[in-house]
Amino acid sequence: MTYGFETLAIHAGQEPERRTGAVVPPIFQTSTYAQDAVGAPRLGYEYSRSGNPTRDALQECLAALEGGRRGLTFASGLAAEDTLLRTVCRPGDHVVIPDDAYGGSYRLFAKVLERWGLAYTPARISDPAAVRAAMTDRTRVIWVETPTNPLLGIADVAALAGVAHERDALLVVDNTFASPYLQQPLALGADVVVHSTTKYIGGHSDVVGGALVTTDRSLGDELAFHQNAMGAVNGPFDAWLTLRGVKTLGVRMDRHCDNAERVAEYLSRHPKVSQVLYPGLPDHPGHETAAKQMRRFGGMISFRAAGGEAAAVEVCDRARVFVLAESLGGIESLIEHPGRMTHASAAGSPLEVPADLVRLSVGIETVDDLLADLEQALG
């Protein structure tokens, strides 16, 4: 039987516990497991880095939500990225990345993996021809965010899957901004989906984590081997918190989108805003592609302050309902200055973000309160 998204979010991987019938998966807060005999662990559990029932429940749930065959969870989104790249790449290989990639991902490529021998080239991922031109004979991965962080660029996942597979490369899609509720890249041809589960999947700004999902069983087995060998797994309590958050992902995302649409419309008419970056606006260059591959347009908005960097910083400092903080995807609204905060690591690089940029993570508060806060913050 085929189930809907919300049903899977509540039930996939979460059967009532066998011994007591508890309807919520327990927190298996243990480091090791008794074995029935030498080399005969019960249900295959030996040590919690290698396997934990609470983490397994989350992994199974996320695989179901993304339409994948194997889900793996990690201590953070960057831990998931690092494990993936060291699994599928070798020193001397090459990766194409977005020319406005998340600052933490850029730092991983530029400051860590490049020293390990992995080359990278930034490209405009909204243009498949530009991505194709950036590839080399050693390109192993096309790395995509859609929408991108923080400029909200949109990539055509199906088109880029074709570009990647022409050259026997993998298409990896960071689906953090959209969440599996709004977009399912595997169904569009992607090979691996990456999440910072800290964001919309966890949804409450109280737990850090990451995930990988793939439809390829062989690749899933390789990733599972490296997950255990490299050891950057999430603990059982973190897995439980994330699993609790994912149950309400669908209803939360609907409210995030409702509020973001109102906020984007308001900002697009404000005289102190020079540009609004939101794929739900008809004049966004990626609007048609986003409408084709996304259920709705998400809760993230960036805008450029008409008064330049000083005005952008002042808006961030003056906001009250929008909390000045890094991260995104929680139930509370957040505001930040990417150039000085989340994307400071890209300063001076080809990925440097505009100094007048402000990024909003629109929460699920009463939308009139959010609009009033922006009105006073914009002054």
Side-chain angles (χ1 to χ4, degrees):
M1 183 174 179
T2 302
Y3 293 106
F5 185 92
E6 291 85 350
T7 303
L8 290 172
I10 294 168
H11 294 288
Q14 301 167 73
E15 294 294 324
E17 197 264 333
R18 298 180 185 186
R19 188 171 67 88
T20 65
V23 298
V24 175
I27 304 169
F28 284 88
Q29 193 70 43
T30 185
S31 61
T32 193
Y33 306 83
Q35 300 191 20
D36 293 326
V38 174
R42 301 174 190 175
L43 303 176
Y45 291 108
E46 304 169 332
Y47 185 65
S48 270
R49 171 173 41 78
S50 305
N52 178 281
T54 314
R55 187 167 80 237
D56 285 349
L58 175 61
Q59 293 180 152
E60 185 176 338
C61 182
L62 294 181
L65 295 182
E66 284 286 4
R69 292 179 175 173
R70 189 71 178 267
L72 299 160
T73 59
F74 298 83
S76 69
L78 283 168
E81 293 184 18
D82 189 41
T83 302
L84 169 63
L85 289 162
R86 293 182 193 269
T87 299
V88 302
C89 296
R90 300 290 181 270
D93 285 347
H94 175 262
V95 179
V96 178
I97 68 171
D99 62 1
D100 63 334
Y102 163 55
S105 297
Y106 171 73
R107 183 175 55 234
L108 176 64
F109 283 109
K111 307 297 184 183
V112 179
L113 293 173
E114 189 173 44
R115 293 169 58 189
W116 179 68
L118 183 65
Y120 68 94
T121 301
R124 186 167 298 280
I125 60 165
S126 60
D127 181 359
V131 173
R132 184 182 284 109
M135 298 178 75
T136 75
D137 291 340
R138 297 301 301 269
T139 300
R140 178 61 176 144
V141 171
I142 296 175
W143 188 277
V144 172
E145 300 168 14
T146 184
T148 59
N149 180 6
L151 297 181
L152 281 298
I154 299 296
D156 186 326
V157 175
L160 290 182
V163 171
H165 298 158
E166 286 171 8
R167 304 280 286 273
D168 294 324
L170 298 176
L171 179 64
V172 175
V173 177
D174 184 336
N175 203 29
T176 297
F177 266 30
S179 86
Y181 181 69
L182 299 182
Q183 180 173 264
Q184 295 187 323
L186 297 176
L188 298 169
D191 298 287
V192 184
V193 168
V194 176
H195 281 284
S196 170
T197 58
T198 311
K199 312 305 194 293
Y200 286 110
I201 287 176
H204 293 78
S205 301
D206 57 7
V207 60
V208 174
L212 303 172
V213 181
T214 183
T215 56
D216 186 319
R217 292 188 187 278
S218 177
L219 177 57
D221 289 344
E222 282 190 76
L223 291 169
F225 172 83
H226 282 83
Q227 178 195 44
N228 181 45
M230 295 172 69
V233 296
N234 51 334
F237 184 52
D238 287 356
W240 185 88
L241 282 172
T242 306
L243 195 60
R244 183 182 65 167
V246 82
K247 292 174 186 286
T248 59
L249 179 59
V251 293
R252 286 188 286 105
M253 291 308 300
D254 280 336
R255 183 59 174 266
H256 284 296
C257 293
D258 287 345
N259 285 358
E261 289 166 9
R262 290 279 305 278
V263 169
E265 290 172 3
Y266 164 80
L267 291 171
S268 67
R269 299 190 300 267
H270 201 285
K272 293 189 177 179
V273 174
S274 61
Q275 184 183 17
V276 180
L277 305 174
Y278 183 64
L281 294 174
D283 62 353
H284 187 284
H287 176 73
E288 290 186 9
T289 300
K292 177 181 68 175
Q293 67 189 23
M294 297 177 72
R295 185 193 298 245
R296 293 183 71 181
F297 300 103
M300 298 301 299
I301 300 171
S302 290
F303 68 90
R304 301 183 71 170
E309 181 176 11
V313 171
E314 184 177 6
V315 171
C316 293
D317 287 341
R318 286 171 58 91
R320 293 296 176 264
V321 180
F322 280 86
V323 179
L324 179 60
E326 298 188 0
S327 198
L328 59 102
I331 54 175
E332 65 288 306
S333 293
L334 303 179
I335 189 169
E336 65 123 358
H337 184 265
R340 297 190 185 185
M341 296 171 69
T342 54
H343 290 69
S345 61
S349 80
L351 280 73
E352 184 173 14
V353 300
D356 59 0
L357 192 73
V358 175
R359 192 188 73 180
L360 304 177
S361 175
V362 181
I364 65 171
E365 299 96 338
T366 303
V367 70
D368 288 341
D369 295 334
L370 299 179
L371 298 176
D373 190 41
L374 289 171
E375 179 68 23
Q376 67 82 23
L378 286 161

